[in-house]
Amino acid sequence: MKDHNMAVIGFGGMGNWHRETINEGVWLSGKLESESFKGLKVTGSFDINEKRQAFANEKGLYAYNSMEELLLDQALDIILIATPNEFHKPIAIKAMEAGKHVVCEKPAALGSAELQEMIDTSVKTGKIFAVHQNRRWDEDYLTAKKIYEENLLGEIFRIESRVHGSRGIPGDWRGNPESGGGMVYDWGVHILDQALQMIPGKVKKVYAATTNVITSLVDDGFYAELTFDNGLQYIAEVGTSNFITLPRWYVLGRNGTAVIEDFSGKGKMTRITDWSKNDAIPIRTASGLTKTMAPRTEETIKEESLPSVESDIREFYNNVIAAIEGREELIISHESVMRTMKLIETVFRSAKSGLPEQFE
Ligand code: NAD
């Protein structure tokens, strides 16, 4: 591996996360792995905010006076873009044209046409353009994916993936439409991407609705129902006014159900052990009786732990480096980023029309 020097443009919360992760280490299973990225170092940054420039200095980075000065530095070969979303495209194109490889925060762009321009620039300049779809490494997601791929609940007919908070939309650029704010771009880009990564086959139909609980300027949440060509229904939902949260994942198969509570991945699976014992003691309420909804008796079901998964986010940067050195293809392929972007556009289209929209 060669030495690679990276500079961050937009040294805010996430920009500093990249510095910490690369220069200081990654927390894996409660342990700081400080020798994570041999040969890769964040050496500088540029931010339009003076306070972030000073903070960069405090952290031992060289704070460039302008983006132009940064892009002229021959010692740098990789630029990490962590500005608000609206600036991703112009900065990425400038950086690649200045001969730098680019790692870009998500959403890479605000639409498929913009994204295509960025991909075209990568092809034209021969520079790597990698998008940080880091939540493909989340353990909760990988657990749900494993349940699906290993058929642990029999044929899966429905997956529900939710991210719920109760803080509204943050009071920063995420509330501005011009900056590419809103929750479809912010969280939708992760959970819709996960859906496309998890389920093979095409998405035939998309029905979506956005919410404007706290602000009318951008969506502060959304609900999307994807119908895959194998009939599987996939619900993706983001809420920011959910004072009681629903589980992160609810996975339903013919022979069982799984719940994954939160990002930590804790939860359980309940599977059928005996279909033949069908007797049920009805639930009686003041107004009626139901056998259908009576709970199953203990001897016909078994509660189990979720399967274990291993994940290592260091793969992301190690792959970017390998792609730069011509040893590997990017894990986050341009095709996959484009497909997610087109799905986001379809979500917005359906939310606007109020009707289901064809996708693929
Ligand atoms: P932030 O507001 O904390 O940081 C953005 C920084 O960019 C600020 O310091 C701001 O001063 C600076 N900036 C604005 N315009 C600039 C410009 N033209 N040139 C240089 N600097 C500029 O925001 P954040 O939460 O760090 O988000 C930044 C990006 O990271 C967004 O694209 C966001 O979607 C993404 N993000 C990704 C993840 C993830 O898990 N992948 C998590 C959070 C944020």
Side-chain angles (χ1 to χ4, degrees):
M1 198 194 242
K2 296 186 197 131
D3 281 345
H4 297 276
N5 292 324
M6 178 189 267
V8 179
I9 298 182
F11 194 59
M14 204 53 193
N16 186 48
W17 179 90
H18 284 272
R19 179 201 63 81
E20 260 173 13
T21 302
I22 293 168
N23 290 1
E24 292 176 9
V26 181
W27 285 90
L28 288 175
S29 314
K31 206 170 130 233
L32 185 68
E33 300 276 349
S34 52
E35 294 288 303
S36 291
F37 303 99
K38 287 203 177 71
L40 175 63
K41 200 165 173 18
V42 178
T43 55
S45 66
F46 169 67
D47 197 293
I48 53 170
N49 181 331
E50 278 304 320
K51 284 190 182 142
R52 300 308 291 182
Q53 293 281 82
F55 179 64
N57 278 329
E58 257 173 56
K59 293 293 169 188
L61 302 188
Y62 176 73
Y64 294 86
N65 293 309
S66 66
M67 185 168 75
E68 289 66 31
E69 184 198 355
L70 183 155
L71 293 180
L72 281 173
D73 189 343
Q74 295 302 313
L76 298 173
D77 62 340
I78 311 175
I79 307 301
L80 179 279
I81 303 172
T83 60
N85 301 336
E86 64 180 316
F87 301 116
H88 292 178
K89 184 193 103 169
I91 296 176
I93 290 181
K94 250 195 191 144
M96 285 187 273
E97 286 179 340
K100 311 296 186 196
H101 301 289
V102 164
V103 179
C104 185
E105 263 306 341
K106 59 77 211 171
L110 301 180
S112 54
E114 279 198 3
L115 180 60
Q116 191 58 54
E117 281 184 61
M118 296 159 96
I119 294 171
D120 289 346
T121 309
S122 165
V123 173
K124 188 180 79 190
T125 56
K127 294 294 153 188
I128 291 294
F129 167 56
V131 180
H132 193 230
Q133 288 289 164
N134 50 325
R135 296 212 172 262
R136 290 192 198 176
W137 279 266
D138 273 1
E139 291 187 3
D140 59 273
Y141 155 70
L142 292 171
T143 304
K145 189 164 185 272
K146 189 165 186 173
I147 291 170
Y148 176 80
E149 287 174 349
E150 297 188 359
N151 218 22
L152 298 182
L153 305 174
E155 187 190 337
I156 306 277
F157 58 90
R158 190 180 175 93
I159 296 179
E160 302 185 6
S161 161
R162 294 192 170 82
V163 184
H164 282 169
S166 57
R167 296 171 182 279
I169 222 153
D172 57 11
W173 56 268
R174 285 176 177 80
N176 297 332
E178 309 80 45
S179 309
M183 281 297 128
V184 175
Y185 283 134
D186 198 51
W187 262 101
V189 70
H190 287 305
I191 68 171
L192 294 168
D193 182 72
Q194 289 177 341
L196 297 182
Q197 290 301 306
M198 189 187 304
I199 314 297
K202 295 185 172 166
V203 178
K204 279 190 346 198
K205 205 172 63 183
V206 176
Y207 170 75
T210 49
T211 60
N212 294 96
V213 181
I214 300 293
T215 173
S216 57
L217 297 177
V218 294
D219 70 277
D220 50 26
F222 75 95
Y223 166 92
E225 202 176 295
L226 318 179
T227 309
F228 281 83
D229 56 6
N230 63 1
L232 187 145
Q233 261 196 333
Y234 196 112
I235 308 290
E237 186 183 87
V238 174
T240 54
S241 299
N242 298 56
F243 294 88
I244 296 175
T245 59
L246 291 177
R248 175 72 187 83
W249 296 89
Y250 185 46
V251 184
L252 298 131
R254 260 183 60 77
N255 299 330
T257 304
V259 168
I260 305 171
E261 295 291 347
D262 51 29
F263 294 126
S264 77
K266 70 169 189 276
K268 64 178 183 187
M269 290 194 295
T270 296
R271 298 202 274 189
I272 188 92
T273 52
D274 190 347
W275 277 112
S276 65
K277 294 200 182 92
N278 256 338
D279 259 7
I281 301 164
I283 301 179
R284 183 183 292 272
T285 64
S287 55
L289 198 70
T290 174
K291 242 181 152 178
T292 318
M293 297 306 163
R296 282 200 156 270
T297 48
E298 290 292 311
E299 78 269 15
T300 67
I301 47 171
K302 189 165 181 238
E303 197 173 296
E304 292 173 62
S305 331
L306 294 169
S308 60
V309 293
E310 280 183 12
S311 173
D312 189 340
I313 187 60
R314 290 175 296 183
E315 263 176 28
F316 174 80
Y317 272 115
N318 287 331
N319 169 251
V320 169
I321 296 301
I324 288 172
E325 295 180 359
R327 293 182 279 112
E328 288 176 21
E329 294 290 317
L330 283 175
I331 294 174
I332 313 288
S333 71
H334 291 169
E335 293 72 26
S336 69
V337 178
M338 181 58 89
R339 190 169 174 231
T340 299
M341 187 51 69
K342 287 189 170 163
L343 179 55
I344 285 176
E345 289 175 333
T346 312
V347 163
F348 281 132
R349 235 181 10 257
S350 171
K352 197 168 171 200
S353 67
L355 297 168
E357 297 278 339
Q358 299 300 316
F359 180 48
E360 295 172 315

